[in-house]
Amino acid sequence: MNQFSIHKDVKKYKPFSLFLSPLVLPILNGTVTLVRKRVPLPEGVKEKHIRLSTTDGDMITLIIYTPEKVKDASPALLYFYGSSYFLTRPPHIKRLTAEYALRTNTIVIDVDYRLSPQHPFPAPFFDALKASEWVMTHTDYLGIDPDKIAIGGDSSGATLASNVTLYYRNQGLHPFFYQFLIYPVTDARMRSKSLHEFPYWSVKLNKMMWSLYIREELSLPNEYASPMEADSFSGLPTAYIEVCEYDPLRDEGLLLAKALERAEVKVQTHCVQNAFHSFDLFAASELTKKTMNTRVRALNQAFYDE
């Protein structure tokens, strides 16, 4: 491991990856939920929860962050958090999504979708579609500009954002003008070279994630779970794609960026040096603060053509 120059602010937390085991998931998710409830919102942001019925009669929650100084017909970001499809919404996502809202003066909708193994694919995908449909049909209620809705997420949440974007493109619809994809997972076939180069998210864990998520063969197109299996990437919105230098999933994000570029989609790619997957879990890190500046700048440029 010494050949990797992990940023000093996050290197000491690497052993936390050892807790990603199905044997401890119920305890881990319960603890994470308790910690998340204690995370304070930054001043100037309001939080509101909306409960939605799913396609099969269950429930999901949308967490809406609205800056106090937001203007009417605001831009918006529909966001899906990274979960590996089995981890509950982490505390740092509450901080980050609220910060996106405050620093871009836009409305951010964070989707608390259902998780495997209790709710494998296609349930989270359908939840993501349900959330997007609700947002698009309630723009007046939310105070959102329907022409300025971005979609995004981190890790598996970025995958859901890509799945949803591909779905609407295939229907001939284009409800999102921008993609905001943070270290995305893109390929269930696990073909990228970096997956075998770095020790911070093992191939074994990656296989476990996909095996818990995709439990049986379905009639849906593969791209609605694994976006790199799409036949075409044309007609998709402009994208910001962020990857981490020492992330086993780094090349999956870079391959998606290249696929979009070949399809003549405008892409801004940013590689965070000396970082591994989910480094921004540590909000106080100088690396996280610096990267947040880059993300916020990209969002402001998209929302306001700065």
Side-chain angles (χ1 to χ4, degrees):
M1 293 186 190
N2 292 333
Q3 70 267 37
F4 304 122
S5 301
I6 296 300
H7 193 279
K8 60 181 176 60
D9 286 345
V10 295
K11 184 176 183 180
K12 61 185 177 182
Y13 295 105
K14 191 268 169 184
F16 278 82
S17 64
L18 299 176
F19 291 105
L20 297 181
S21 164
L23 297 177
V24 298
L25 275 180
I27 298 173
L28 177 61
N29 281 339
T31 302
V32 167
T33 299
L34 290 174
V35 174
R36 185 183 65 238
K37 290 179 179 179
R38 294 177 176 270
V39 173
L41 286 176
E43 291 185 9
V45 178
K46 298 178 181 179
E47 178 180 332
K48 181 178 182 179
H49 290 207
I50 299 289
R51 295 280 285 167
L52 297 183
S53 296
T54 63
T55 54
D56 56 0
D58 208 338
M59 300 291 291
I60 60 171
T61 302
L62 308 187
I63 303 93
I64 301 171
Y65 296 106
T66 304
E68 293 177 355
K69 297 181 180 180
V70 73
K71 298 179 180 179
D72 196 23
S74 166
L77 171 63
L78 178 63
Y79 195 89
F80 303 95
Y81 70 91
S83 64
S84 302
Y85 301 112
F86 56 75
L87 292 169
T88 194
R89 183 168 163 257
H92 78 288
I93 290 298
K94 180 177 179 179
R95 288 192 296 264
L96 295 184
T97 47
E99 189 174 346
Y100 293 144
L102 185 62
R103 295 181 62 183
T104 63
N105 201 35
T106 59
I107 295 169
V108 177
I109 304 101
D110 189 5
V111 183
D112 198 3
Y113 53 92
R114 292 173 295 170
L115 301 169
S116 63
Q118 292 85 356
H119 302 285
F121 180 81
F125 170 63
F126 286 155
D127 292 352
L129 286 179
K130 185 74 174 181
S132 62
E133 290 167 1
W134 188 87
V135 169
M136 288 185 293
T137 56
H138 290 80
T139 52
D140 287 344
Y141 170 76
L142 293 167
I144 286 174
D145 181 348
D147 296 323
K148 284 286 186 176
I149 303 176
I151 188 170
D154 59 279
S155 193
S156 58
T159 314
L160 286 172
S162 295
N163 302 146
V164 169
T165 306
L166 286 165
Y167 171 84
Y168 282 113
R169 190 279 312 270
N170 293 346
Q171 308 306 310
L173 302 172
H174 303 277
F176 308 109
F177 84 107
Y178 189 70
Q179 300 178 79
F180 181 67
L181 307 178
I182 307 300
Y183 39 75
V185 184
T186 69
D187 198 341
R189 299 168 297 184
M190 297 185 289
R191 297 178 174 181
S192 67
K193 182 179 178 182
S194 62
L195 191 61
H196 303 274
E197 288 184 341
F198 307 120
Y200 308 111
W201 171 262
S202 69
V203 174
K204 182 178 179 180
L205 285 171
N206 209 49
K207 288 180 178 178
M208 179 187 73
M209 176 191 73
W210 283 115
S211 66
L212 289 174
Y213 185 49
I214 304 175
R215 306 290 291 277
E216 58 186 50
E217 291 188 11
L218 298 168
S219 59
L220 292 172
N222 285 5
E223 65 201 74
Y224 296 157
S226 175
M228 278 306 296
E229 296 186 56
D231 292 332
S232 170
F233 294 89
S234 63
L236 295 174
T238 297
Y240 170 87
I241 297 180
E242 181 182 297
V243 299
C244 303
E245 183 180 12
Y246 299 137
D247 185 354
L249 299 172
R250 180 197 64 199
D251 290 354
E252 292 192 12
L254 295 176
L255 288 169
L256 176 61
K258 290 179 181 178
L260 290 169
E261 289 173 344
R262 285 195 297 268
E264 300 184 348
V265 174
K266 185 178 179 181
V267 181
Q268 178 186 352
T269 305
H270 177 65
C271 181
V272 184
Q273 300 298 308
N274 305 321
F276 56 80
H277 197 79
S278 296
F279 71 94
D280 51 357
L281 174 66
F282 314 106
S285 163
E286 289 301 318
L287 182 62
T288 296
K289 293 176 182 178
K290 180 180 178 181
T291 305
M292 281 295 291
N293 289 338
T294 301
R295 295 175 186 174
V296 168
R297 185 164 54 250
L299 287 171
N300 276 320
Q301 287 173 346
F303 288 142
Y304 305 111
D305 299 319
E306 291 185 356

